[in-house]
Amino acid sequence: GEAAGEAARYMLAPGAVIGLTSVGPSGARVNLTSGGQTVYNDRYVRSGQSLSYTGTNGSQCWVSLMSLQQGNPGAASFKVGCNS
């Protein structure tokens, strides 16, 4: 599925939240939590790059940065998926 919006926090798979800390011309810094545990903290992700994480049910999940809109905090769209 896809998650997009002006907010700096996005719900991903059940129990996972990605937070946008800053958006630059070619990437963004994100925080990712899954099941209340921090997976990535202020991690830089380039457009088109994926980050993998373990979902709350133990499945392998990923989130990739699709597009960016610079600003403060800016906006981004993500594509997410899990291997069931």
Side-chain angles (χ1 to χ4, degrees):
E2 296 201 12
E6 293 299 314
R9 285 166 64 86
Y10 305 82
M11 293 301 296
L12 301 180
V17 179
I18 193 163
L20 207 54
T21 56
S22 64
V23 178
S26 56
R29 290 197 170 276
V30 299
N31 299 321
L32 176 64
T33 58
S34 180
Q37 301 286 102
T38 298
V39 183
Y40 296 103
N41 184 31
D42 204 32
R43 170 72 179 260
Y44 184 77
V45 191
R46 289 183 305 278
S47 189
Q49 186 182 6
S50 294
L51 296 176
S52 57
Y53 65 97
T54 303
T56 49
N57 61 354
S59 59
Q60 285 301 304
C61 301
W62 50 268
V63 52
S64 56
L65 183 59
M66 301 300 288
S67 62
L68 296 166
Q69 181 182 327
Q70 278 188 271
N72 194 7
S77 63
F78 300 93
K79 189 166 180 146
V80 297
C82 293
N83 302 327
S84 49

